Amino acid sequence: MFALDQNVTMTGTVKDYQFKMPHVWFYMVVPTKDGGMEEWGFECHSPNLVARKGWTLNTLKPGDKVTVMMHPMKDGSKAGSVAYITLADGKVLWNAQSISQP
């Protein structure tokens, strides 16, 4: 489902964060090249797994600016599997070990 051989970085504004089973999801509004905006969805592992990597119920809030390194959907839809995120303060939180840590 995800193109694990592709790494894409996006920066945007968090719209929604769902820290619940079976997988953590968050949604971001991302600027486009033509000056518009697109909504993207990002899937993470289960809450218990990402919590071991520092994620909490309050990691993301609507309005937060974050950068996501992700593996996009193979079908081109606006979603991806998170490798890691970088918060506005520079803190990096990992989801997957599908790429080497920076």
Side-chain angles (χ1 to χ4, degrees), residues 18-61:
Q18 299 174 7
F19 192 83
K20 59 185 178 181
M21 295 297 280
H23 295 126
V24 173
W25 275 86
F26 65 95
Y27 300 87
M28 260 183 9
V29 177
V30 179
T32 61
K33 291 178 185 177
D34 65 2
M37 300 297 265
E38 294 179 332
E39 185 173 325
W40 281 72
F42 301 97
E43 183 178 29
C44 302
H45 291 298
S46 64
N48 62 329
L49 291 177
V50 297
R52 295 177 199 169
K53 297 177 183 191
W55 297 64
T56 71
L57 283 168
N58 300 311
T59 294
L60 299 175
K61 297 175 293 312

